[in-house]
Amino acid sequence: MLDIAALPKVLLHDHLDGGLRPETIISLAQQCGHSLPTTDPHALGLWFQEAADSGSLVRYLETFTHTVAVMQTRDALMRVAREAVEDLAADGVIYAELRWAPEQHLLSGLALDEAVIAVRDGIAQGVAAAAGQNRMIAVNQLITAMRHADRWREIAELAVAHGDDGVVGFDIAGAEAGFPADRFPDVWQYLADESFPVTIHAGEADGVASIATAVRRGHALRIGHGVRILDDIAFRDDGASFGRIAAWVRDRQLVLELCPSSNLQTGAASSIAEHGISKLRDLGFAVTINTDNRLMSATSVSREMELLVNEAGWGERDLLNATLTAARSAFISFDERSELVEKILSFSDHRPADTRRYLP
Ligand SMILES: [Zn+2]
């Protein structure tokens, strides 16, 4: 079987405020006077997992009040970004896009621009620290606006303004039901006019209509989660028939940023074995494997892959294909994406010959 730890991995969907080390939360909370459920690192890690295990997206999102509370200064943002990069590099990730919502990090007086620069600088430190340990990784930011708030346009302009600072895309996240992606249609037109890439959380807590809006109104190139696209497919004995939006997403190969463990915790899936990612893979959708929130799910890209192997019967070919799909759909230049693909293929060159034929 594939050496998952050694496989060069690509991560497209990971929240900066969902991936802190418990020790770091405790240390930052002491500095800013924020009180936590416990100050024992192990117990705090478990607290986050248990709170996130409640089966409700709303309850899951409550865990972020603590992580966001301790990420309100330049130093704190830099540290969290640096450590995230180091942790991903240690997991064998060679390219990642970290997403976060700057509007939630202004409580201590940071300006939006300053917050983005702090994360940029922290990422640079993390990349350098990883390189010092002979781990090569590249990391960019995705800037998120909160669905329920009304700052989408301002945040979209922030993302575009920092296009030269390693911000490679725009996203909306948070409460999906009741806050449709077409609430502020001008935002998507603005981003389209700027030729700025978009990914949208959709089809996680809400259904097919939410995915359709993300694709048709938001011009999303990738869908965060998107697992509910299955609701637009009718399964019969002689095969599957696709609704309009499911056919569009599959035939155009819009990328689904699937997050198996996270979906279990929010109730969007009942088990890894039953998770829609396997069915979507079989139907030819462009599936990728993501962590969403490493702290809340106590996970890593490697762990998500191992779960799919052990509980859903995924094989070497599946993992390589999902990794190549992620590399091909990163919001970076074609040349950079080609380099990632080459690294993954050259890793697979060292695999037995029968795996090579699966690859393009
Ligand atoms: Zn997410």
Side-chain angles (χ1 to χ4, degrees):
M1 185 54 192
L2 189 68
D3 181 353
I4 289 175
L7 171 69
K9 291 172 282 288
V10 174
L11 176 57
L12 301 179
H13 191 127
D14 187 272
H15 292 263
L16 188 65
D17 49 331
L20 289 76
R21 300 173 184 169
E23 302 81 2
T24 300
I25 299 172
I26 292 163
S27 152
L28 293 174
Q30 278 164 356
Q31 288 169 29
C32 70
H34 177 77
S35 68
L36 294 168
T38 166
T39 54
D40 174 74
H42 180 69
L44 186 64
L46 286 177
W47 181 88
F48 273 98
Q49 286 168 55
E50 285 164 9
D53 266 338
S54 62
S56 141
L57 182 61
V58 173
R59 179 79 187 85
Y60 187 101
L61 295 176
E62 279 176 25
T63 57
F64 290 91
T65 56
H66 292 292
T67 57
V68 169
V70 303
M71 296 167 65
Q72 296 294 333
T73 63
R74 171 176 163 82
D75 284 351
L77 284 169
M78 280 180 67
R79 176 172 173 181
V80 170
R82 183 187 79 235
E83 292 178 352
V85 174
E86 291 178 318
D87 292 349
L88 293 177
D91 187 38
V93 173
I94 59 168
Y95 177 76
E97 292 173 1
L98 289 171
R99 66 185 69 198
W100 65 295
E103 70 196 70
Q104 296 188 304
H105 300 266
L106 311 177
L107 296 174
S108 298
L110 278 180
L112 287 169
D113 285 306
E114 292 169 337
V116 174
I117 297 291
V119 169
R120 177 199 69 185
D121 293 348
I123 287 173
Q125 286 183 352
V127 168
Q133 298 180 315
N134 227 7
R135 293 179 177 133
M136 300 307 153
I137 183 170
V139 179
N140 287 309
Q141 299 184 50
L142 300 176
I143 295 296
T144 298
M146 300 309 292
R147 271 184 183 263
H148 61 271
D150 296 339
R151 301 181 75 163
W152 297 14
R153 175 67 188 235
E154 183 186 10
I155 301 302
E157 288 176 3
L158 175 76
V160 170
H162 288 274
D164 294 330
D165 282 329
V167 175
V168 296
F170 178 77
D171 166 48
I172 54 173
E176 187 180 352
F179 298 96
D182 56 358
R183 277 210 307 145
F184 301 107
D186 70 294
V187 170
W188 309 117
Q189 190 55 52
Y190 162 74
L191 291 163
D193 289 345
E194 294 288 341
S195 302
F196 202 76
V198 169
T199 177
I200 294 179
H201 279 78
E204 177 190 17
D206 207 356
V208 173
S210 177
I211 299 173
T213 306
V215 171
R216 293 173 181 155
R217 305 281 171 262
H219 314 295
L221 297 172
R222 305 193 320 230
I223 306 292
H225 299 279
V227 68
R228 296 273 305 268
I229 196 74
L230 284 163
D231 297 352
D232 198 36
I233 302 169
F235 293 93
R236 299 184 311 259
D237 289 345
D238 59 342
S241 77
F242 294 80
R244 292 278 288 277
I245 191 64
W248 181 264
V249 170
R250 186 185 78 134
D251 294 341
R252 306 278 77 75
Q253 291 286 291
L254 298 190
V255 171
L256 302 176
E257 303 162 352
L258 293 154
C259 310
S261 291
S262 172
N263 289 165
L264 293 196
Q265 293 182 297
T266 58
S270 58
S271 70
I272 297 291
E274 294 295 316
H275 193 283
I277 188 170
S278 301
K279 206 173 264 182
L280 291 165
R281 171 206 60 191
D282 293 344
L283 291 167
F285 283 85
V287 301
T288 61
I289 303 164
N290 299 276
T291 47
D292 210 13
N293 299 295
R294 286 171 289 114
L295 169 67
M296 287 72 175
S297 300
T299 199
S300 63
V301 185
S302 294
R303 181 170 174 274
E304 294 299 305
M305 289 182 165
E306 278 156 15
L307 285 170
L308 289 169
V309 168
N310 295 331
E311 297 182 29
W314 278 49
E316 183 158 322
R317 166 190 175 173
D318 303 317
L319 297 181
L320 283 169
N321 279 341
T323 304
L324 287 166
T325 299
R328 291 197 189 94
S329 47
F331 288 161
I332 48 180
S333 73
F334 179 72
D335 293 341
E336 292 167 301
R337 288 187 283 150
S338 301
E339 264 181 51
L340 295 176
V341 167
E342 280 307 314
K343 278 187 191 165
I344 297 159
L345 288 177
S346 72
F347 172 82
S348 72
D349 277 342
H350 301 295
R351 310 294 310 152
D354 66 327
T355 59
R356 189 69 182 82
R357 70 192 155 90
Y358 295 122
L359 301 167

